[in-house]
Amino acid sequence: QTDNRHHISHLQLISEEDISRFSELNVAANFQSAWALPDNWIMGINLPELGQERVDRMYPVASVFQLGGLIVGGSDWGVSTMNPLVAIETALTRQDPDGIFKGTLNENEAMTLTEMLKAYTVNTAYLMHQEDKTGSLEIGKAADLVILERDLYKIPIHEISEVRVLQTIIEGETVFAID
């Protein structure tokens, strides 16, 4: 028996019948949540071509999660930002962190901070068969972490994307630090 850990990325629009299948088939849902906002692509291109009903179902992160699907965070970098804090804020608010585009893209699909932090840490480590090495701070695991300037649980969610990384540590060694 194999221990394949499959995932599907670019989950902009999922057939409603398939949302429960992520859990049933043990397939991780890799969302690029930085795109889950009513920007020019969604409102100017997708809305006229796909209609309001389908646009309202785009990036169904919470729906997949509520039905037991494993959520992992992706960036699709170099097409969009690789800053997970931007994607996390967008997943929580379903709004543009920069305030350029107004409105909310289906607030019913908003996620919690804890679940989105898991999507970029323990869930991703699991997907890559590295849960015994990284993804959480535990004895015996690599000391891979970032130190942020603010506690994400103590600030308004609309400020998460603005939080700066003060230090990055990989396997216990500082590889980035703001002086």
Side-chain angles (χ1 to χ4, degrees):
Q1 181 172 346
T2 64
D3 187 19
N4 293 329
R5 297 180 185 175
H6 302 288
H7 70 117
I8 301 176
S9 294
H10 301 284
L11 297 167
Q12 182 173 355
L13 185 59
I14 304 170
S15 169
E16 290 183 76
E17 299 82 33
D18 289 335
I19 289 176
S20 65
R21 295 181 72 211
F22 284 89
S23 175
E24 293 165 13
L25 298 174
N26 197 27
V27 173
N30 185 335
F31 283 98
Q32 290 69 37
S33 296
W35 298 349
L37 57 98
D39 63 6
N40 285 341
W41 294 103
I42 300 287
M43 304 311 287
I45 296 173
N46 294 167
L47 182 60
E49 295 298 322
L50 301 176
Q52 189 68 52
E53 185 272 330
R54 285 188 179 122
V55 166
D56 287 343
R57 293 190 297 108
M58 289 188 169
Y59 301 102
V61 188
S63 292
V64 172
F65 173 74
Q66 290 163 359
L67 291 175
L70 180 70
I71 305 299
V72 295
S75 70
D76 204 27
W77 183 79
V79 179
S80 63
T81 182
M82 66 193 230
N83 182 346
L85 297 175
V86 171
I88 289 169
E89 179 180 321
T90 306
L92 273 58
T93 65
R94 307 286 292 196
Q95 298 172 350
D96 179 13
D98 296 325
I100 297 169
F101 304 104
K102 303 302 178 202
T104 304
L105 184 66
N106 192 355
E107 62 193 17
N108 295 326
E109 293 296 340
M111 289 290 287
T112 67
L113 178 57
T114 297
E115 293 306 325
M116 287 311 298
L117 290 173
K118 287 179 182 179
Y120 282 94
T121 56
V122 294
N123 295 358
T124 304
Y126 170 81
L127 182 64
M128 298 185 305
H129 293 269
Q130 294 185 9
E131 69 273 18
D132 61 333
K133 299 175 185 151
T134 190
S136 60
L137 295 176
E138 298 177 52
I139 295 173
K141 290 188 177 183
D144 297 340
L145 61 125
V146 295
I147 299 172
L148 303 175
E149 69 176 341
R150 299 172 74 193
D151 181 341
L152 300 182
Y153 287 97
K154 294 183 179 177
I155 64 172
I157 60 175
H158 286 91
E159 295 178 13
I160 290 174
S161 66
E162 300 165 25
V163 173
R164 294 180 314 145
V165 172
L166 299 178
Q167 189 174 2
T168 303
I169 302 168
I170 299 177
E171 295 185 0
E173 181 179 331
T174 299
V175 297
F176 170 81
I178 293 179
D179 294 327

